[in-house]
Amino acid sequence: MLSKSRISLLQSLQQKKFRKQHGVFLVEGYKSVIEFVNSAYQIEAIYYSPASGSKLSKLLHNKNTAEVSLTILEKISSLKTAPDVVAVVKIPDWDNLKPVSLKNKFSLALDGVQDPGNMGTIIRTADWYGIQDIICSEDTVDVYNPKVVQATMGSLSRINLRYTDLASVLTDAQMPVYGALLNGENIYSTTFASEGLVVMGNEGNGLRPEITRLVTEAITIPRVGEAESLNVAIATAIFCSEISRNKLAGNK
Amino acid sequence: MLSKSRISLLQSLQQKKFRKQHGVFLVEGYKSVIEFVNSAYQIEAIYYSPASGSKLSKLLHNKNTAEVSLTILEKISSLKTAPDVVAVVKIPDWDNLKPVSLKNKFSLALDGVQDPGNMGTIIRTADWYGIQDIICSEDTVDVYNPKVVQATMGSLSRINLRYTDLASVLTDAQMPVYGALLNGENIYSTTFASEGLVVMGNEGNGLRPEITRLVTEAITIPRVGEAESLNVAIATAIFCSEISRNKLAGNK
């Protein structure tokens, strides 16, 4: 059994303020929980439904697991249908972790992406394409938001993240900074360097002027039809795809 | 002023059953409304807030407009923040419209896509890449769902749609049917034909076996990293991007 106060703490994790205060976030659902258990993230506790006990035998070796009723899972879950397992996972202290080098690879830089679904999809897509690092401006949506965690489908467990002053990172990067801009080079005829940063902007406003100024390679995804713009997760995916294609072509 | 019964009819349009019964759906927000006004869709009515009257002068020539209070807009809107204008738009009778030919172009075929956000993003992406036709299996999410309409950002007004027996369409197509499958040809070394259908499957289950059997060109988006799969809207976008790239390269 979980105490009332513990339940209300877990419920409060749907809000960023309380995630920050308690230093933990929720991961919901069997597949995602397994991915976090097998990652560098620290698991504080795992709660599972009576029905899922046998399926979770692997997890049960962990000291901090407890069987709870489905009613309790429903209370603490952010999902419409309660998952059969949730994990309480520690938010890494990215600021004090040794920053990963961005050399010799491509990383994403996000300038104020706001929609949790977009953010989650960007993380999942980055993970598919082998991009390991995402640098976020301070006002980018919190990746430990339950909707983001859900949309990453476990990929969040494998990506290095940093919330920071994006302009400083871009200024100090000493590598190409690719940005999706109007009137840039056609992405389909661009030869990407062997390392770089891809900067993507906010859903409504795109890149801030101070970030746009730091873009060294303005790139355009050519429009054939009529839509005014592409969704930011889609545009990010097309950059990841083209970079991947370039690399595969280069290795031939 | 709108009558109580009119307001409750408009509210009911958030459910597919009532959209079908009344033959109309809601388009919310200035930009999307303008796109529908300028499209082949028939507008039944437009309701706008007192504050937006001047901005809407172009629309005011239309006979069926009415100024309503913000409270009423809040009541009929599906959005958290009520838009300053909503349009009631007639659902086209696609079944009795002359079906568009799929010859000499690429079209999308969706086999049970369920998430409204994904569906909307697919429509918006198709519109960006100049794809005009989307054929949906009967169990694909309704495109007139308010969340889909919202996510298309107006692109819904320009795309031809058909809900039908997808297997029959693919059987009769007499053109390549490209499907995202494991162990297919690498998409980055695929030369696409000059016409074809791209079939994308359900979020959880992918393509149904009976649809998979009708795929003539199995294509794989190569994975570099660790994510188990790509989001369906992302995978669709990468197909659209590669087809577009192929065409641009062919035209050189």
Side-chain angles (χ1 to χ4, degrees):
Chain A
M1 272 298 291
L2 294 184
S3 68
K4 270 196 178 171
S5 66
R6 178 71 179 165
I7 292 172
S8 86
L9 184 153
L10 296 175
Q11 287 174 323
S12 77
L13 299 179
Q14 301 201 20
Q15 288 173 262
K16 183 178 175 182
K17 179 171 79 167
F18 294 108
R19 289 194 295 275
K20 211 173 164 185
Q21 183 180 319
H22 299 294
V24 291
F25 66 102
L26 278 194
V27 174
E28 308 182 64
Y30 180 74
K31 282 176 94 171
S32 292
V33 168
I34 294 285
E35 305 240 33
F36 275 89
V37 167
N38 295 329
S39 78
Y41 276 80
Q42 286 179 51
I43 311 292
E44 190 188 274
I46 295 173
Y47 301 114
Y48 57 90
S49 70
S52 65
S54 64
K55 190 164 112 184
L56 294 169
S57 53
K58 268 194 245 167
L59 297 175
L60 295 175
H61 296 297
N62 188 303
K63 279 173 196 155
N64 308 308
T65 63
E67 185 178 305
V68 298
S69 70
L70 205 57
T71 317
I72 288 180
L73 284 170
E74 275 162 9
K75 277 187 188 163
I76 62 185
S77 173
S78 71
L79 305 173
K80 272 188 201 163
T81 312
D84 50 7
V85 53
V86 305
V88 184
V89 180
K90 288 194 183 158
I91 296 176
D93 183 7
W94 295 109
D95 290 345
N96 289 314
L97 287 173
K98 199 180 155 214
V100 256
S101 163
L102 302 176
K103 283 281 154 203
N104 303 314
K105 57 183 174 183
F106 275 87
S107 307
L108 298 180
L110 305 178
D111 184 28
V113 168
Q114 281 309 299
D115 181 81
N118 285 342
M119 186 70 191
T121 304
I122 289 172
I123 292 172
R124 182 176 170 192
T125 306
D127 186 31
W128 177 274
Y129 278 111
I131 286 175
Q132 297 160 329
D133 304 279
I134 302 181
I135 302 140
C136 307
S137 65
E138 301 283 5
D139 64 345
T140 297
V141 59
D142 180 32
V143 291
Y144 302 112
N145 173 315
K147 285 182 190 161
V148 177
V149 177
Q150 199 59 27
T152 74
M153 304 284 279
S155 288
L156 178 61
S157 67
R158 285 180 291 268
I159 300 289
N160 300 313
L161 289 150
R162 212 188 315 167
Y163 284 82
T164 185
D165 174 7
L166 199 54
S168 311
V169 172
L170 300 184
T171 306
D172 299 345
Q174 296 185 293
M175 58 173 71
V177 176
Y178 296 89
L181 293 170
L182 293 173
N183 306 319
E185 190 185 345
N186 181 336
I187 193 167
Y188 301 123
S189 43
T190 298
T191 303
F192 285 87
S194 58
E195 60 178 10
L197 290 165
V198 175
V199 214
M200 304 302 299
N202 170 271
E203 285 84 353
N205 308 316
L207 294 176
R208 262 170 280 233
E210 59 266 39
I211 298 296
T212 304
R213 272 194 292 273
L214 297 167
V215 168
T216 63
E217 324 286 326
I219 307 288
T220 297
I221 301 173
R223 174 171 69 171
V224 184
E226 301 289 329
E228 196 182 290
S229 63
L230 280 171
N231 165 284
V232 63
I234 298 291
T236 307
I238 287 164
F239 271 83
C240 292
S241 173
E242 282 303 303
I243 288 166
S244 190
R245 196 176 62 76
N246 263 252
K247 209 176 283 174
L248 293 171
N251 290 343
K252 261 179 196 168
Chain B
M1 272 298 292
L2 295 184
S3 67
K4 268 194 181 175
S5 66
R6 179 70 178 163
I7 292 174
S8 86
L9 184 153
L10 295 175
Q11 287 174 322
S12 78
L13 299 180
Q14 302 202 19
Q15 289 174 261
K16 183 177 174 181
K17 180 171 78 169
F18 295 108
R19 289 194 296 273
K20 210 172 164 184
Q21 185 181 317
H22 300 295
V24 292
F25 67 102
L26 279 193
V27 173
E28 308 180 65
Y30 180 74
K31 282 176 93 168
S32 292
V33 169
I34 293 285
E35 305 241 32
F36 276 88
V37 166
N38 294 330
S39 78
Y41 276 81
Q42 286 180 52
I43 311 292
E44 190 189 275
I46 296 173
Y47 302 114
Y48 57 90
S49 69
S52 64
S54 64
K55 191 163 110 184
L56 293 169
S57 54
K58 268 194 247 169
L59 297 176
L60 294 176
H61 296 296
N62 188 304
K63 278 173 197 156
N64 308 306
T65 63
E67 185 178 304
V68 298
S69 69
L70 205 55
T71 318
I72 287 180
L73 284 170
E74 276 162 8
K75 277 187 188 163
I76 63 184
S77 172
S78 71
L79 305 174
K80 273 186 200 165
T81 312
D84 50 6
V85 52
V86 305
V88 184
V89 181
K90 288 195 183 156
I91 295 176
D93 183 9
W94 294 109
D95 291 345
N96 290 316
L97 287 175
K98 197 179 157 216
V100 256
S101 162
L102 303 175
K103 283 282 153 204
N104 304 316
K105 56 184 176 182
F106 274 88
S107 307
L108 298 180
L110 305 179
D111 183 28
V113 168
Q114 282 309 299
D115 181 82
N118 285 341
M119 186 71 191
T121 305
I122 289 171
I123 292 172
R124 181 176 170 193
T125 306
D127 186 32
W128 177 273
Y129 278 110
I131 287 176
Q132 297 159 330
D133 305 279
I134 302 182
I135 302 139
C136 307
S137 64
E138 301 283 6
D139 63 345
T140 297
V141 60
D142 181 33
V143 292
Y144 302 112
N145 173 315
K147 286 182 189 160
V148 177
V149 177
Q150 197 59 27
T152 74
M153 305 284 279
S155 288
L156 179 61
S157 66
R158 286 179 290 268
I159 300 290
N160 300 313
L161 289 150
R162 213 189 315 167
Y163 283 82
T164 184
D165 175 7
L166 199 53
S168 311
V169 173
L170 300 185
T171 306
D172 299 345
Q174 296 184 293
M175 57 174 71
V177 176
Y178 297 89
L181 293 170
L182 293 172
N183 308 317
E185 191 185 345
N186 181 335
I187 193 167
Y188 300 123
S189 42
T190 298
T191 303
F192 286 87
S194 58
E195 59 178 10
L197 290 164
V198 175
V199 213
M200 303 303 298
N202 169 271
E203 285 84 353
N205 308 317
L207 293 177
R208 262 172 280 233
E210 60 267 37
I211 297 297
T212 304
R213 273 192 293 273
L214 298 167
V215 168
T216 63
E217 323 287 324
I219 306 288
T220 298
I221 301 173
R223 174 171 70 171
V224 184
E226 302 288 329
E228 197 182 289
S229 63
L230 280 171
N231 166 284
V232 63
I234 297 290
T236 307
I238 288 165
F239 270 83
C240 293
S241 173
E242 283 303 303
I243 289 165
S244 191
R245 196 176 61 76
N246 262 253
K247 209 175 285 173
L248 293 171
N251 291 344
K252 263 179 195 168

